[in-house]
Amino acid sequence: MYSFMNDYSEGAHPQVLDLMIKANLEQNGGYGQDIHSEKAKEYMKKAMEREDADIHFIPGGTQSNLLVIGSFLRPHQCVISADTGHITGHESGAIEATGHKVISVPCKEGKLTPYEIQRALEENAEEYTPQPKMVYISNSTELGSLYSKAELEALHAICKEKDLLLFMDGARLGSALMSEANDLALKDIARLVDVFYIGGTKNGALLGEAIVILRDELKTDFRILMKQRGAMMAKGFVLGIQFEALFQDNLYFDLARHANKMAEKIASSLEALDYTFYEKPVSNQLFITLPNTLLEKLSKEFKYTVQEKLDKDRTVIRLVTSWATTEESVDALIEFFKKNR
Amino acid sequence: MYSFMNDYSEGAHPQVLDLMIKANLEQNGGYGQDIHSEKAKEYMKKAMEREDADIHFIPGGTQSNLLVIGSFLRPHQCVISADTGHITGHESGAIEATGHKVISVPCKEGKLTPYEIQRALEENAEEYTPQPKMVYISNSTELGSLYSKAELEALHAICKEKDLLLFMDGARLGSALMSEANDLALKDIARLVDVFYIGGTKNGALLGEAIVILRDELKTDFRILMKQRGAMMAKGFVLGIQFEALFQDNLYFDLARHANKMAEKIASSLEALDYTFYEKPVSNQLFITLPNTLLEKLSKEFKYTVQEKLDKDRTVIRLVTSWATTEESVDALIEFFKKNR
Amino acid sequence: MYSFMNDYSEGAHPQVLDLMIKANLEQNGGYGQDIHSEKAKEYMKKAMEREDADIHFIPGGTQSNLLVIGSFLRPHQCVISADTGHITGHESGAIEATGHKVISVPCKEGKLTPYEIQRALEENAEEYTPQPKMVYISNSTELGSLYSKAELEALHAICKEKDLLLFMDGARLGSALMSEANDLALKDIARLVDVFYIGGTKNGALLGEAIVILRDELKTDFRILMKQRGAMMAKGFVLGIQFEALFQDNLYFDLARHANKMAEKIASSLEALDYTFYEKPVSNQLFITLPNTLLEKLSKEFKYTVQEKLDKDRTVIRLVTSWATTEESVDALIEFFKKNR
Amino acid sequence: MYSFMNDYSEGAHPQVLDLMIKANLEQNGGYGQDIHSEKAKEYMKKAMEREDADIHFIPGGTQSNLLVIGSFLRPHQCVISADTGHITGHESGAIEATGHKVISVPCKEGKLTPYEIQRALEENAEEYTPQPKMVYISNSTELGSLYSKAELEALHAICKEKDLLLFMDGARLGSALMSEANDLALKDIARLVDVFYIGGTKNGALLGEAIVILRDELKTDFRILMKQRGAMMAKGFVLGIQFEALFQDNLYFDLARHANKMAEKIASSLEALDYTFYEKPVSNQLFITLPNTLLEKLSKEFKYTVQEKLDKDRTVIRLVTSWATTEESVDALIEFFKKNR
């Protein structure tokens, strides 16, 4: 049964795997100090047009989030997140375990705006309140939506004005950047945020995220902070090789484009069939409202995730495509929806 | 220039890589709930003769240490470690970052005995002192030495008597078990400690450690604790596949045996040449005292680690072999030492 | 200018101060192991009819909250609180600094019911969500409201059913228990919660809160946990003496009754004058909606706290009475409101 | 039976208590923002000739230590302490509970020198080692010894050179400053350390320590950090009043002088009787080596603390004097030692 549950069901893209195989018996330096990690960083710096970027490879996303937030805040400082943010309800309290409160604010389409930040600051402006110091956003968000350039400029502006750090979780950054609805370049992101990461796990790598630090004063001792949180791998080159493969020839972007194309094919077909999208489909995550009767049938042929039970008759499901999604399975899925309309 | 610096310079053993390649385009369940992880656990449970063992795959060693110690202690409880223990001086304060003191005790050959534990308990017996609750040991140790069955039985006994948890860091467990000096079986370890881990990173895997929990009350919620520390990988199957390959046909033990054999060949040759070993060579780490004049020459042909500057003329170096160490490089190294005697 | 801003503007009740003076040059044992602390505990155990209660004296309320929550939860566990709860927005992230998330739930009158707890459990039921394990309530609440016996029984029942710890912040417990609207006895509380504290700071003491642990397995090592958090005072007897004075002859309850009586006098007078109460007045905190024009005048004669700006014309203020509130100042305040009606 | 066990057996000096009584029914501002705290700070700033000092009143010593260390270090940074330092073995792991390792170094007379700091830096100079960033000293030390001006200048110099923060625990600072062996003025300390505290609990106050921050960048948000750790008291004025009484007329110094005088009287008498001091007696703590046969007798007439069992026949005891120690009890103690010589 084909799965559209998530974008981390398969291993690595063959080109990534090939480079790993090729480099397998080389002797490489430990702890991320190796030639492959160096090359990967060079390719990535070029891609974002920032020679001064400080880049580090980390096994996973929750780890990246807790490492960034736990490293850059003083003990009394907090982070503002959308209530749908991954750090709010999907990481078992990982951020709080580093000692920092997540101020969860309600918002639309999974995106923060200066309005919510301003309100959070006003509601937390006393000596006895939590002290906001960082803003956490995801792009694409947990609801598949994107930040436009204008929106990110606005967040950048309020963060600068209020002396807040701006951190972008890019676990699905590839899909965001390759969306037809997107007007942000990688270099814009590097200019507008203080720190972000480029997700490999969900876009062609076996595992790995690349944390990119742009603000100078945040760069100090980051490798030590990685080590302390258990995020520095003895075989750091295993991560470096993968990002080398992903960024030496734009493979990273090609893979994301494929994932989006597959999602778009599903979306346009379902829209033509008058299915209802719970969130506007713009990246590799699709949120569709379906009658439960249909869901029962669907579950016999495809795997998906239940996002929310809307009412007693309808359910919102999530379908996710990836670099590995095959066009045949997409066609089969569309066929299913046609047949059952 | 060939490197004997460590046992994590190369990628994965070809058989491990092959299984990864074979399974690469399968769709597997996320977060360690997949068929490969299940199989790997079954093989490992059989190898230790403990169907009730709770096994979890984790990317790295420091992460395993902080996860185990941080999960099983109450806030005021501490862990006793040899002063040479990895958690004492090699993890940038990772354990303390989880809130727990490491009580470092002086000891011989990197090994703890009931004597040091008894003393640590006596010195920390007041309400205002740190409160020891766990004993951390490594096997093989950071100095390449091994715990004998009798020694581990003795540690087990005092831990039981004093209500302490016994935790074994097995980053190099393979080499320990395959040593000719060893009399401990894997099942003995499973019987004598409360929790341990089986290191993959240094013995054939790309990356990965397998935490094994034996004591029932420690099993509760461990997956959540993993998630919270960022140690649960979306593609947990990447770790599972590797341990499947390592344990389905005893590959894990074969690889360790090879590493030991290479070390032994170096050791016996150097002993024959009257070189001085700083620690008795019994596993895949060799500690050799060399005159600095010789060291200078060595550094032009091989890579090694400086362990300690003994005095102004002599240095202790560490040479490490692994599953990937080639016999030719071992022979070349021996040749070097012969030539320069 | 007389202040109704809070219940911690004055020092200690004269009887408390007298016992401190009397005992001042005695030589007492350190760290809470003294005769006065013992006596205080005996009086308190009798008052709650629980010889098995484990009682500890702590300087302050935030410290009590963080100590209780930080001591009794495992690293991944969380606490559910009303969104108006003191730990949610009034302690600068103190609970999160111990590593635990506060799950803040919307509720009425500052009180939790099984409904909100049930919902919080349902919304946090996955491996990747925060893990609720404790329920935090205050009595009286931050909005001056009370839990009835039936309400507390219901909370007890759901906590038992769901294996949650029930913790009552009693910073203003005296006022709650002495309210005419109250039907809970101290012994009921001791029966229905796992741990609570009896506030001294806001009811006659210079400073001090008495944490009362009822559930046996929570009692282990609590003194050590106090020490570790800096909550164990060398001169613990300074706290013990005060609770001795407060509980040897029911002074604690008399003082709370006085505070309530003063609040009630204000409340009934203002109700007679048709002023609007934002929250029903039942304890020593009064929340009154006033036109801003009146507020300006009030601020020239009395001190109060602004609770919330309702709209551009109206503000909710908080007036608090205490054991030290004088009847003359209450009369003067009523006179002011009469004059300005 | 008279106790020489410690300097926190009695309440407050009568002048301190008098001011508390006098101010008892005043209405004071909350959270340390009151006229008495202001006055106290003014007196203290004058005493140390530093108008720019940032002063905060905290209930206790362990709390002060964990607050200072936990507030000023980044997550990966550590503090160097003498192995006899209070934070090393007397605070139940309180510092580690804030996430920071205490690097304990062996030293003489309880005092650190640049030599030990230099060694600790050398031994912890790798990415994978703990990262020293602060030096913790006590004055007087846990062994009653003092830092001379030259010694403190030397510590200041190495800390400046190595970019380390210098923190002095002054729980017994009064006794240190009033010692006849002392050549440090309060203003020297304010010049040479980055942060220190002036102990009230052991020198005339009911309870309270005054943290003094000298380095500008450490001053930011300290009140919030206090709040978060539960160290900000609602009735902060209770602490402020006591320091006002202690510093308005040099009472603080007079009390310490008395404590020292009592200790000196004991010391000179015992030296005349040829008793052996384990540590040179220069402040209010005396460490005396006694035969166990004598100890048995002593324990029937006086209370003391056992410091260390030297061998099977001899024990080192600690006798402590304070502002409250009476000359009669000192004479009685001397008489006992004369009689039993």
Side-chain angles (χ1 to χ4, degrees), chain D residues 154-209:
Chain D
L155 290 179
H156 171 80
I158 190 171
C159 286
K160 201 168 169 184
E161 184 195 334
K162 304 294 187 186
D163 198 20
L164 300 167
L165 297 170
L166 184 53
F167 167 36
M168 180 186 282
D169 170 340
R172 290 192 174 98
L173 188 59
S175 177
L177 291 176
M178 292 301 104
S179 168
E180 298 205 343
N182 174 60
D183 67 349
L184 267 175
L186 190 54
K187 70 174 176 181
D188 296 323
I189 292 174
R191 176 174 54 87
L192 295 170
V193 307
D194 297 297
V195 53
F196 70 110
Y197 64 91
I198 299 177
T201 305
K202 293 170 178 169
N203 195 31
L206 275 183
L207 83 178
E209 317 291 302

Side-chain angles (χ1 to χ4, degrees), chain C residues 3 8-12 20-21 24 26-28 31 62-63 90 92-94 97 201 205-206 227-228 235 237, chain D residues 3 8-12 17 20-21 24 26-28 31 62-63 90 92-94 97 201 205-206 227-228 235 237:
Chain C
S3 170
Y8 44 82
S9 293
E10 291 90 356
M20 293 180 73
I21 294 164
N24 190 51
E26 286 173 12
Q27 287 193 313
N28 273 298
Y31 301 106
T62 293
Q63 203 175 29
H90 278 67
S92 303
T201 305
L206 275 183
K227 177 72 189 161
Q228 192 187 38
K235 294 188 186 170
F237 59 81
Chain D
S3 169
Y8 43 82
S9 293
E10 290 89 357
L17 210 49
M20 294 180 72
I21 293 164
N24 190 50
E26 286 173 12
Q27 287 193 312
N28 273 298
Y31 300 106
T62 294
Q63 202 175 30
H90 278 67
S92 303
T201 305
L206 275 183
K227 177 71 189 162
Q228 192 188 37
K235 294 188 186 170
F237 58 82

